[in-house]
Amino acid sequence: MWEFFVRSLDASTIFTLAALGELIGQRSGVLNVGIEGVMLFGATLGFIAAQSTGSYLLGFLVGIAIGGLLGLMHGFFSITLGVDQVVSGMGIWIMGFGLTTYIGNPYTGPLGMPRIPSILGLSPFFYLGIALVVITWFVLSKTSLGLRIRSVGENPSVAEVSGIDVAKTRYLCVTIGGMLMGLAGAVYSLDYNPVWNYNFLMGWGFIALALVFFSMWNPFILLSGSLLFGTLWQLSLNPQLVLPGVMSRYIWRMVPFAITLLVLLIMSTKWFRIKWGAAKPEALGQPYVKE
Amino acid sequence: MKPPEEGQVQKGPLKGIKRGETVLEARGITKRFPGVVANDQIYFEIKAGEIHAVLGENGAGKTTLMNILFGLYQPDEGEIFIGGKSVKFRSPLDAIDMGIGMVHQHRKLIPAHTVIENIILGHPSAGKILNINRAGDEINELCERYGFHVDLKAKVWQLSEGEKQVVEILKTLYRGAEVLILDEPTSALTPIETEKLLTSIEAMSKDELAIVPFITHKLPIVLAISDRVTVLRRGKVTARLDTKDATEKSLAMEMVGREVIFRIERTRVERGKPILQVENLSALSDKGVLALSGVSFSISEGEIFGIAGISGNGQRELVEVIAGLRNPEEGKVILDEIDITFSSSLERWQRGMGYIPCDRIDVGSIGDFSLVENTTMNYYFDDNYSRYGIVDYKKLRKLTEEIVSEYGVATPSPDTQAKTLSGGNLQKLILARVLSRKPRLVIADLPTQGLDVGATEFVRNKLVEAKKGKAGVLLISEDLDEILSLSDWVAPVYEGKLMDIIPGEKVKREIVGAMMAGLHLEGEET
């Protein structure tokens, strides 16, 4: 049971990191639906780097760097070129899926390194995740930079007249966001499940994307959402640990995705929007063209 | 982090300028756009402590001049002097740094943020970690000084139009503006809010601030507050005079270039049988709150029923329910004795309802479509113009040509895209396609909003013509003069309720004005 608890928190950590990256980008008005692709890249290249050098640190750094690079690329397409953000994001996902399958294939198999030591029984990244949630919240709501980010996400033309460089702010956010997604991927392949095989992520990125909408763009709700989905994910893998004999394991496997669908459905109803006044950034998904 | 200066006002180049000295001067400003000279050798100056209005119709070059003074456009010729020194603005930021503040007509505020967040956004002394309390104190000081009232912790979307404008003014003042450009400052305000704003403007001008209101048609406002007026027509300065030498008539003459009739005589048309009856109507707004409650009235043939009120008091919901675009919570809509409460919009148009929406660009027309196609939107369901689902474009092209010439829509051809038309011409087209169907009932939602004096006069006359043709007209307007001069019945609306229904000849301006703000004047029976 303790094992189940720890695994749930580990899974939650990955959701938290990835979704936090997406949240930062979205608050500045840039949607990145390619989060799964960025995570695949971070996981695969991080895995290869760690395995070939024997250094975990290098593995994580490569994961973060490739994530940042992909964020930057998404920024170039969606901010500078004004491409539809969904199209650019989908492109990143497909590219990530295809390329990492090709690059990672020769490395199929376990990482073969000693496990990362835990702190008080939990992965060190769990603590990092919580710290990042608090930092993100503080920056967004208490600092001048945060006000600038939120303004750019709400109404870029007002921000521009107030003397804010919209493109720069958005680039900053998508790049940091990409780094967090890349890190999340590396945490998956180096710590959570240190084995490379074909399509190992199986939709974690998309659940993280849904989590951002679930969180109503609030880092703390995002954290609790991550805990919920992390637990559900573990439950879907090992239902017999908690609820032995209830439903077939194939149905359990489907539960996180079904709930993701349900959450998105409820969130998109008029009833929900009116009741909760969802704080979706007004300019989310819209390219900003200077007048 | 650099410690912010004491007090809220930055040191600008205009510090130390005394009352009566020229703060801003524009000499020989010329700006050309493809096909037009928007500004032609314009000279303009303003002194500290002065209120200097710029007056002109749409298309007279006001917006261009405003954008040049605020650094959005660079002039092709001419120079701007601030405090006697020649300056060049590459962007609005340069203008802001030089002490020029702009209060836009289309609010430049972020609805999801609080008032304070909006005011300090982009402010150089905001600091890395926001000090909301200190900023709040400084802003409150400004409020007290000039008599503004606004809840700094409220979110901007919760505010009324008047309060939003106050926030914009505070933002420019907090940024250290010495010259305040106000774009149509009173256009969205209730009479009481207008009164308050004028008091505050006077207080600011006593503080050596220079204030430049740009105004299209509210001439009484110009006469009431300004010291001097510069009038623009077709890109040129046609007059510059002291306000005490001006009258409403003389200003209008200078603006339009001919005499303008301000009062349209209320023509009497014999009242026929009722066309539209609205009974106890209630409806929710998009936000899910009750926006319209228990509204009842009726309009008969040959009547104009005027609903007077500031936007956002349920007019939109009322119009949408009558036009079939929104379902009511309760109540009935009856057109020619037939209950149409839940009929489709199409059925309503076929039964003789005509709708002139307030948003002529997004709701009233499709910009990428030609004028013929836009006219078709009101005719595609008419058997004379469309058979078995096939639209007879030849016939419609002819019709469009006819109405374009009858209504004087200035356009090179009926195949031009609607988005190339000016606001006035687009409104004429929409009016034409609705009225040419000889509707039983015309819903005119803010029909003259944003139009210049000439086009306004035209639209009003056409509505009166429709009334003479035995149509009923539901007129929604923020402009009290428009309501009073046209309506046979006046119904002031406030927070979704009709305050009263008063026969046109018995209406008193002050009473309607007060009711629009939700007040019943004492001693008046309601």
Side-chain angles (χ1 to χ4, degrees):
Chain A
M1 198 60 193
W2 170 250
E3 179 67 10
F4 176 82
F5 178 67
V6 170
R7 288 298 277 172
S8 299
L9 288 185
D10 286 351
S12 308
T13 302
I14 295 167
F15 285 133
T16 305
L17 291 172
L20 205 57
E22 179 72 23
L23 181 137
I24 293 170
Q26 288 198 9
R27 284 309 287 261
S28 80
V30 184
L31 179 74
N32 186 354
V33 296
I35 179 168
E36 173 102 354
V38 182
M39 285 174 75
L40 278 166
F41 258 115
T44 304
L45 296 190
F47 185 88
I48 295 173
Q51 200 174 48
S52 17
T53 62
S55 155
Y56 271 121
L57 180 68
L58 211 64
F60 285 114
L61 286 181
V62 165
I64 292 170
I66 185 69
L69 221 58
L70 287 168
L72 211 58
M73 187 177 93
H74 182 59
F76 179 70
F77 283 126
S78 55
I79 302 165
T80 306
L81 300 183
V83 173
D84 187 307
Q85 296 176 5
V86 174
V87 173
S88 167
M90 277 295 166
I92 287 177
W93 170 50
I94 294 167
M95 184 180 80
F97 186 58
L99 270 181
T100 57
T101 302
Y102 172 71
I103 299 171
N105 197 39
Y107 298 87
T108 306
L111 180 65
M113 286 164 69
R115 295 299 302 259
I116 295 170
S118 58
I119 302 171
L120 303 175
L122 294 170
S123 155
F125 294 100
F126 174 73
Y127 304 103
L128 178 69
I130 289 184
L132 284 172
V133 164
V134 175
I135 291 171
T136 305
W137 166 80
F138 182 81
V139 169
L140 281 176
S141 53
K142 297 284 170 196
T143 69
S144 197
L145 175 67
L147 179 59
R148 293 210 296 270
I149 292 172
R150 286 184 289 133
S151 303
V152 166
E154 288 285 341
N155 191 332
S157 59
V158 170
E160 186 90 42
V161 193
S162 303
I164 290 156
D165 191 331
V166 175
K168 210 167 106 186
T169 311
R170 286 189 165 177
Y171 263 112
L172 178 75
C173 290
V174 286
T175 308
I176 292 177
M179 289 160 94
L180 285 173
M181 294 173 200
L183 173 66
V187 171
Y188 183 94
S189 68
L190 296 179
D191 185 35
Y192 178 73
N193 189 14
V195 179
W196 199 95
N197 52 33
Y198 173 73
N199 190 24
F200 53 96
L201 265 186
M202 294 178 303
W204 281 59
F206 288 102
I207 290 180
L209 179 64
L211 266 170
V212 177
F213 288 81
F214 173 86
S215 76
M216 298 194 280
W217 295 269
N218 176 323
F220 289 121
I221 303 181
L222 182 129
L223 180 64
S224 37
S226 299
L227 293 172
L228 174 71
F229 273 82
T231 311
L232 269 173
W233 189 266
Q234 280 313 310
L235 202 60
S236 77
L237 288 176
N238 308 302
Q240 71 284 354
L241 281 180
V242 185
L243 297 163
V246 183
M247 293 200 295
S248 144
R249 52 188 280 255
Y250 297 105
I251 293 182
W252 275 111
R253 217 46 212 96
M254 198 188 71
V255 164
F257 296 98
I259 291 194
T260 304
L261 208 62
L262 199 68
V263 163
L264 290 183
L265 199 72
I266 293 173
M267 296 240 8
S268 58
T269 58
K270 203 174 167 184
W271 167 83
F272 187 89
R273 283 205 308 274
I274 289 169
K275 176 131 195 182
W276 295 97
K280 183 176 168 193
E282 275 298 312
L284 181 60
Q286 295 165 8
Y288 172 64
V289 188
K290 240 188 195 177
E291 279 163 41
Chain B
M1 194 174 97
K2 209 181 92 195
E5 292 169 41
E6 197 58 37
Q8 64 286 340
V9 183
Q10 299 159 253
K11 286 261 177 284
L14 293 175
K15 275 282 151 221
I17 282 204
K18 285 182 204 71
R19 183 169 209 84
E21 285 177 36
T22 301
V23 285
L24 184 146
E25 198 179 354
R27 281 187 212 154
I29 298 289
T30 299
K31 178 79 184 171
R32 295 180 198 90
F33 291 112
V36 274
V37 183
N39 279 179
D40 189 359
Q41 292 293 326
I42 288 194
Y43 178 86
F44 175 78
E45 56 137 25
I46 176 150
K47 297 178 176 131
E50 184 189 37
I51 303 173
H52 189 156
V54 176
L55 198 60
E57 291 194 288
N58 292 326
K62 271 187 332 249
T63 311
T64 309
L65 178 62
M66 205 154 36
N67 286 338
I68 287 174
L69 294 181
F70 191 55
L72 270 171
Y73 297 158
Q74 279 71 48
D76 296 331
E77 286 167 34
E79 265 185 296
I80 298 172
F81 295 85
I82 287 194
K85 281 194 207 90
S86 172
V87 289
K88 269 211 165 57
F89 298 147
R90 278 158 302 154
S91 74
L93 270 188
D94 288 351
I96 290 170
D97 287 342
M98 287 288 180
I100 293 179
M102 170 105 168
V103 176
H104 301 262
Q105 187 187 8
H106 303 286
R107 303 274 170 256
K108 294 276 189 190
L109 295 172
I110 296 175
H113 290 180
T114 65
V115 171
I116 283 208
E117 284 176 335
N118 267 288
I119 292 175
I120 62 177
L121 177 63
H123 195 282
S125 81
K128 284 217 170 62
I129 292 172
L130 299 173
N131 192 339
I132 295 286
N133 290 334
R134 201 197 58 217
D137 290 345
E138 287 167 359
I139 296 164
N140 273 327
E141 215 171 274
L142 282 174
C143 284
E144 253 167 58
R145 187 152 176 178
Y146 301 126
F148 293 124
H149 296 281
V150 61
D151 177 4
L152 298 183
K153 297 232 157 64
K155 304 257 180 194
V156 163
W157 62 264
Q158 298 169 314
L159 304 182
S160 73
E161 272 311 308
E163 287 171 315
K164 282 183 205 163
Q165 186 170 45
V166 165
V167 176
E168 285 231 332
I169 294 176
L170 283 171
K171 179 167 180 163
T172 58
L173 292 178
Y174 190 62
R175 208 61 204 262
E178 304 277 309
V179 179
L180 216 57
I181 301 174
L182 306 170
D183 184 10
E184 303 286 350
T186 60
S187 69
L189 307 191
T190 62
I192 287 167
E193 283 176 325
T194 304
E195 202 63 37
K196 278 189 197 157
L197 175 71
L198 298 187
T199 318
S200 297
I201 287 182
E202 264 166 33
M204 289 190 281
S205 76
K206 287 213 176 78
D207 252 0
E208 254 88 297
L209 286 168
I211 294 156
V212 192
F214 279 71
I215 291 170
T216 309
H217 56 264
K218 296 214 168 165
L219 301 179
I221 299 287
V222 175
L223 293 170
I225 59 161
S226 67
D227 303 315
R228 275 198 294 172
V229 195
T230 292
V231 184
L232 298 183
R233 185 168 79 229
R234 297 198 183 154
K236 288 187 179 146
V237 175
T238 53
R240 178 168 38 250
L241 59 167
D242 289 341
T243 309
K244 59 181 193 303
D245 302 330
T247 65
E248 206 168 319
K249 256 206 151 73
S250 71
L251 288 177
M253 272 276 288
E254 295 291 353
M255 258 171 94
V256 186
R258 65 179 163 83
E259 209 154 335
V260 178
I261 301 130
F262 275 99
R263 285 227 161 268
I264 294 178
E265 279 304 307
R266 195 182 295 113
T267 34
R268 236 167 229 300
V269 176
E270 202 171 325
R271 235 179 128 187
K273 50 183 188 151
I275 298 176
L276 178 79
Q277 283 156 289
V278 168
E279 288 171 15
N280 197 27
L281 215 53
S282 296
L284 300 182
S285 75
D286 288 346
K287 290 212 168 97
V289 294
L290 198 66
L292 195 66
S293 60
V295 168
S296 305
F297 61 89
S298 106
I299 304 178
S300 302
E301 289 173 337
E303 272 183 356
I304 296 183
F305 189 91
I307 293 193
I310 299 305
S311 289
N313 277 298
Q315 296 97 319
R316 179 169 158 213
E317 287 75 13
L318 175 65
V319 165
E320 288 182 353
V321 168
I322 296 176
L325 302 167
R326 182 184 293 268
N327 283 334
E329 292 296 296
E330 56 177 325
K332 267 191 203 163
V333 181
I334 295 162
L335 183 69
D336 279 326
E337 292 171 355
I338 295 162
D339 187 337
I340 56 159
T341 314
F342 292 102
S343 307
S344 69
S345 294
L346 180 59
E347 195 185 329
R348 294 172 203 229
W349 311 154
Q350 283 167 329
R351 287 192 188 285
M353 192 184 276
Y355 175 35
I356 301 165
C358 61
D359 183 348
R360 61 185 79 104
I361 292 168
D362 286 332
V363 181
S365 65
I366 298 181
D368 288 330
F369 279 15
S370 71
L371 304 193
V372 178
E373 286 167 318
N374 271 294
T375 309
T376 308
M377 314 284 268
N378 260 57
Y379 276 93
Y380 70 93
F381 47 81
D382 187 325
D383 285 342
N384 294 321
Y385 293 90
S386 129
R387 268 291 157 101
Y388 311 113
I390 297 167
V391 177
D392 188 345
Y393 274 111
K394 224 182 223 169
K395 225 168 165 182
L396 275 159
R397 194 169 194 283
K398 207 164 148 251
L399 175 83
T400 309
E401 275 168 4
E402 279 166 25
I403 61 177
V404 158
S405 78
E406 190 193 331
Y407 282 75
V409 180
T411 174
S413 125
D415 301 315
T416 322
Q417 288 184 331
K419 67 179 172 198
T420 61
L421 296 187
S422 73
N425 280 314
L426 186 59
Q427 188 71 337
K428 282 180 185 171
L429 180 79
I430 294 169
L431 199 69
R433 74 168 187 212
V434 169
L435 295 184
S436 63
R437 286 180 54 80
K438 300 257 170 288
R440 293 278 293 150
L441 174 79
V442 183
I443 306 170
D445 191 0
L446 306 178
T448 60
Q449 192 188 40
L451 300 189
D452 57 43
V453 177
T456 299
E457 194 186 14
F458 181 87
V459 170
R460 289 181 186 166
N461 279 328
K462 281 292 175 190
L463 291 177
V464 171
E465 221 171 83
K467 157 186 164 173
K468 283 184 190 152
K470 292 239 150 210
V473 179
L474 175 64
L475 171 68
I476 314 279
S477 183
E478 293 187 322
D479 184 341
L480 208 44
D481 293 314
E482 176 165 285
I483 292 276
L484 296 183
S485 66
L486 294 180
S487 312
D488 299 288
W489 297 95
V490 177
V493 66
Y494 179 72
E495 295 196 337
K497 290 197 178 84
L498 296 188
M499 303 293 285
D500 200 356
I501 297 175
I502 315 163
E505 59 271 17
K506 288 192 183 157
V507 148
K508 283 201 194 91
R509 197 190 160 84
E510 316 73 66
I511 294 171
V512 177
M515 284 179 175
M516 281 163 71
L519 304 171
H520 288 285
L521 284 196
E522 273 174 48
E524 286 296 327
E525 291 171 52
T526 48

